[in-house]
Amino acid sequence: MNLARKIIAAHLTEGEMTAGEEIAIRIDQTLTQDSTGTMAYLQFESMNCDKVKTMRSVAYIDHNTLQSGFENADDHAYIQSVALSHGIYVSKPGNGICHQVHLERFGVPGLTLLGSDSHTPTGGGIGMLAIGAGGLDVAVAMSGGALHLTMPKIVKVELKGKLKNNASAKDVILEVLRLLTVKGGVGKIIEYCGEGVKTLTVPERATITNMGAELGATTSVFPSDEQTRAFLKAQGRECDFKPLAADDGASYDEEVTIDLSALKPLAACPHSPDAVKPVKDIGKIKVDQVCIGSCTNSSYADMMKVAAILKGRKVCPETSLTISPGSRQVLTMLAKSGALADILDAGARVLECACGPCIGMGQSPKTDAVSVRTFNRNFYARTGTASASVYLVSPETAAFTAVNGYLTDPSEMPQVGEIPMPTSFAVNDNLILKPDDFEDVKVVRGPNIKPFPINTELKAKVTGGVLIKCEDNITTDHIMPSNAKLLPYRSNIPYLSDYCLNPVDPTFSERAKAAGGGFIVAGANYGQGSSREHAALVPLYLKIKGVIAKSFARIHRDNLINSGILPLVFEDAKDYDKTDAGDELVIDDARKQIEDGEIITVRNVTKNRTFECRLSLTERLKKVVLAGGVLALAGKSGK
Ligand code: MIC
Ligand code: SF4
């Protein structure tokens, strides 16, 4: 058996492990972050569960840390109080980015982790089966429910050799993205193995599993070995270590081989994480801004490499360099070692240990800027500046680029050398609140916390106009943008509804409201990116009845179903071309069609034609969709 199947087998509660079939697995740990957390906890509260049923659940506050009004502060107070009163740990703002801190303080090889953030698979770096999901699925897991998912195919990525010439773990995942593309991982788990694995530390592995989210993969996983033991020991948690690996000769559904010693520094060009080219081939373009950090590249070793490059050098006068260490642990160690002084001396701006610029919380670049980032997403407009061009690179490429002021291939620069794994990390958990230390916590709900919408049961006849026709690879950043102006309203769906699909068509929301809802038509991989269920809850609020696309990204499809919005797939892709914005669509006998099978006939009244869509749902999900979503099925009604 391969490793992914072993962990699934150990947690299987329903179904058989046949790729494409629905299975259910027990969830050992959950994590939430603040921008998806408020919704997740509101939903969790509606399940009337006194204490979480998981082995460990942690609420992180790391996204929404610019308190420019009362809204974020209200959200933080709500999350802290609702978590502590339900047996959930709280990682306070300043403690770090959820994925980095979870790896450091809570990750355990062989356990399952479900997180309301798409980069939860970072935990695969320590041998967890770590999956991103919408907040509602996490709420269900917290209340003791299993996670239902489609049994993925398992892809083996065999790593050979050892990285050299300033190539980095980031270049490994950029190479995988170049080979497989942003939709190549949908319905798959990426499992790393081979001799090259031993040469990578846990934080390096976590960089690779983190950005597996950009492949659309269910998750990515590394074995747990002596590197894992060394990391856990240095975190004072050797007791959590357990060796885990695939059996010799284990079988896989697909295989890819990457020779680490042949890897060149790579960059993902605007506006997609799979638009990957060698840095050298892109050329020495002038760079206005460099941002180092995010859950992909903000470990101690990443920061020490950056400090080593900056030591004795100066940031180019025409370039801005920001650095956000991934956790307070990392920042403390930089400070104690003197590396922080090297970073500051060079002229970098050191930001809070949080997501920051990665989610547009500050540092939006200037008009038409070129921004080089160590992050994982360069989707259109995600920085908050639609005209900016973002390149995703390794910390080595970013640091040399900041010094030179132009995109720099680090393989042509002096060798940075290895940063040894510390024998002990600076462990200090005083920003982690333990529920047992608090009694009688009252849940605090400020005026920014608004009720979330709940759908009603599906009508027999579903009608509506096509409100918008989108292209391939529409991201959740298109559907429900997030930035410093909007993130404070994550608990306020009515407010957010004015911005739905704004980067694609700023008139969408107004038109949807005027029409009283309708359909969205889209190309392939609709909803890639974030786990934010706001990308479904806001369309639900706008009375969107269905999205008809060539294909869907996993988490977003689940979020649509959870909200009772139909994720319909064109049976014949040519019908996408024959359907236009403004067309009036009718699904006659919708309930019966769904009950009877997978093919749904849609009538295009405007074009006087019919076409077929596929809606592949298990019997369980049919009930969900017919009821109008998970909460409607559970008898809850909206306000
Ligand atoms: C992101 O990177 O897009 C986010 C912000 O972390 C999201 C979660 C969110 O939208 O709150 C994600 O990746 O799931
Ligand atoms: Fe935060 Fe960016 Fe990571 Fe999302 S991708 S969790 S915004 S650092």
Side-chain angles (χ1 to χ4, degrees):
M1 247 205 248
N2 55 52
L3 175 55
R5 288 177 73 90
K6 281 189 191 183
I7 306 180
I8 293 173
H11 290 84
L12 198 67
T13 59
E14 276 172 51
E16 279 178 26
M17 296 195 300
T18 309
E21 298 291 309
E22 188 178 74
I23 55 164
I25 55 170
R26 190 166 29 80
I27 295 299
D28 300 319
Q29 297 189 343
T30 63
L31 72 78
T32 57
Q33 39 86 340
D34 48 318
S35 61
T36 55
T38 48
M39 278 301 146
Y41 291 117
L42 286 169
Q43 291 162 338
F44 176 64
E45 280 190 291
S46 79
M47 293 169 190
N48 302 324
C49 175
D50 281 354
K51 293 276 177 238
V52 275
K53 301 283 191 289
T54 46
M55 289 160 72
R56 173 79 76 240
S57 286
V58 189
Y60 291 90
I61 300 184
D62 55 354
H63 279 61
N64 222 336
T65 56
L66 288 185
Q67 286 160 283
S68 53
F70 66 91
E71 293 87 357
N72 285 358
D74 275 10
D75 285 3
H76 295 177
Y78 168 67
I79 289 174
Q80 181 164 320
S81 58
V82 77
L84 292 176
S85 60
H86 288 87
I88 300 164
Y89 283 53
V90 175
S91 173
K92 290 177 67 178
N95 199 39
I97 305 173
C98 54
H99 309 303
Q100 173 69 25
V101 177
H102 207 85
L103 201 69
E104 291 169 358
R105 307 305 307 141
F106 297 108
V108 178
L111 296 192
T112 52
L113 166 68
L114 190 71
S116 65
D117 190 280
S118 64
H119 289 103
T120 303
T122 313
I126 204 165
M128 300 191 90
L129 193 84
I131 300 178
L136 184 56
D137 286 331
V138 178
V140 168
M142 289 191 289
S143 63
L147 172 74
H148 289 87
L149 75 162
T150 307
M151 178 65 201
K153 289 185 176 169
I154 318 294
V155 181
K156 169 179 173 179
V157 177
E158 172 147 15
L159 301 179
K160 291 189 166 156
K162 189 173 183 337
L163 292 166
K164 56 180 196 198
N165 295 336
N166 286 340
S168 183
K170 181 65 159 282
D171 300 309
V172 178
I173 186 61
L174 288 174
E175 173 67 1
V176 180
L177 274 153
R178 190 184 69 79
L179 293 170
L180 301 184
T181 81
V182 288
K183 42 182 193 289
V186 178
K188 297 175 189 170
I189 292 180
I190 316 293
E191 180 171 322
Y192 291 86
C193 58
E195 283 302 299
V197 164
K198 289 194 197 120
T199 68
L200 299 171
T201 62
V202 165
E204 288 179 307
R205 296 173 184 184
T207 293
I208 296 170
T209 54
N210 169 282
M211 213 174 160
E214 276 51 71
L215 297 163
T218 304
T219 189
S220 304
V221 66
F222 270 85
S224 169
D225 57 10
E226 286 311 307
Q227 288 276 12
T228 323
R229 184 201 293 275
F231 178 79
L232 282 167
K233 191 171 175 199
Q235 291 288 350
R237 301 201 290 123
E238 196 180 358
C239 53
D240 287 335
F241 175 69
K242 180 177 170 194
L244 292 170
D247 294 331
D248 287 343
S251 65
Y252 292 86
D253 298 294
E254 291 169 30
E255 299 192 10
V256 175
T257 303
I258 293 180
D259 181 0
L260 298 178
S261 27
L263 266 189
K264 302 265 176 292
L266 299 169
C269 301
H271 298 287
S272 182
D274 64 357
V276 174
K277 289 187 188 160
V279 172
K280 198 180 172 125
D281 293 0
I282 301 168
K284 296 182 174 173
I285 50 173
K286 187 174 178 306
V287 172
D288 303 287
Q289 181 191 52
V290 175
C291 299
I292 298 178
S294 91
C295 55
T296 316
N297 277 126
S298 58
S299 66
Y300 166 76
D302 281 344
M303 293 293 152
M304 289 299 283
K305 281 193 265 182
V306 169
I309 293 168
L310 294 180
K311 190 177 167 97
R313 297 186 171 101
K314 292 274 167 280
V315 174
C316 169
E318 285 168 43
T319 308
S320 153
L321 170 63
T322 70
I323 298 187
S324 335
S327 67
R328 200 250 311 240
Q329 178 181 95
V330 171
L331 180 54
T332 306
M333 290 177 72
L334 291 178
K336 287 192 173 159
S337 69
L340 184 60
D342 297 331
I343 290 174
L344 293 169
D345 278 349
R349 297 170 65 181
V350 176
L351 308 180
E352 204 177 1
C353 303
C355 299
C358 178
I359 188 56
M361 294 303 277
Q363 311 306 324
S364 297
K366 70 180 185 191
T367 308
D368 298 334
V370 170
S371 179
V372 168
R373 300 175 162 216
T374 65
F375 306 167
N376 46 38
R377 290 186 173 146
N378 56 351
F379 298 149
Y380 174 71
R382 183 172 158 99
T383 59
T385 306
S387 68
S389 299
V390 177
Y391 293 80
L392 305 174
V393 300
S394 70
E396 291 87 333
T397 304
F400 281 120
T401 295
V403 169
N404 290 341
Y406 56 81
L407 188 65
T408 302
D409 179 352
S411 66
E412 293 173 352
M413 304 301 286
Q415 286 301 299
V416 181
E418 273 182 37
I419 307 291
M421 165 76 71
T423 47
S424 75
F425 286 98
V427 174
N428 175 355
D429 287 338
N430 65 6
L431 284 176
I432 297 178
L433 308 182
K434 300 185 184 61
D436 287 349
D437 295 342
F438 295 81
E439 268 173 34
D440 295 330
V441 181
K442 295 271 166 300
V443 180
V444 187
R445 258 175 267 270
N448 192 43
I449 315 277
K450 299 274 187 268
F452 53 89
I454 300 182
N455 215 336
T456 50
E457 68 169 19
L458 189 80
K459 304 254 175 338
K461 184 173 176 180
V462 178
T463 58
V466 176
L467 293 165
I468 192 165
K469 184 174 174 182
C470 311
E471 299 182 344
D472 289 351
N473 293 321
I474 289 296
T475 73
T476 52
D477 283 311
H478 289 108
I479 306 168
M480 194 53 256
S482 267
N483 52 43
K485 292 182 193 124
L486 292 180
L487 220 50
Y489 297 97
R490 280 295 184 92
S491 322
N492 190 338
I493 299 293
Y495 184 93
L496 288 182
S497 71
D498 287 341
Y499 299 88
C500 188
L501 280 165
N502 209 275
V504 185
D505 177 354
T507 69
F508 173 78
S509 166
E510 208 181 301
R511 291 189 296 101
K513 282 182 183 169
F519 289 90
I520 293 171
V521 166
N525 202 24
Y526 180 77
Q528 70 161 324
S530 153
S531 68
R532 68 188 71 142
E533 54 190 356
H534 304 74
L537 291 174
V538 167
L540 160 61
Y541 181 82
L542 293 173
K543 300 195 170 54
I544 299 302
K545 304 191 172 115
V547 181
I548 313 179
K550 289 185 188 167
S551 67
F552 288 89
R554 174 185 64 89
I555 307 180
H556 186 60
R557 179 179 188 270
D558 291 348
N559 286 338
L560 289 174
I561 293 172
N562 286 349
S563 297
I565 299 177
L566 304 175
L568 299 159
V569 175
F570 285 108
E571 184 63 354
D572 179 350
K574 287 193 203 92
D575 287 319
Y576 168 86
D577 302 322
K578 295 176 188 160
T579 312
D580 291 304
D583 288 359
E584 282 300 319
L585 306 183
V586 178
I587 308 178
D588 294 304
D589 292 326
R591 297 185 68 88
K592 182 156 181 348
Q593 289 204 61
I594 292 171
E595 274 157 8
D596 286 355
E598 296 203 342
I599 296 296
I600 309 291
T601 304
V602 181
R603 218 158 28 92
N604 185 329
V605 181
T606 312
K607 300 266 164 60
N608 196 19
R609 62 187 297 274
T610 60
F611 62 95
E612 289 185 340
C613 293
R614 188 170 288 271
L615 183 61
S616 307
L617 298 174
T618 58
E619 289 308 313
R620 185 184 67 83
L621 290 178
K622 280 183 183 178
K623 285 194 191 121
V624 170
V625 157
L626 292 172
V630 169
L631 292 173
L633 182 64
K636 315 279 174 206
S637 55
K639 300 200 172 88

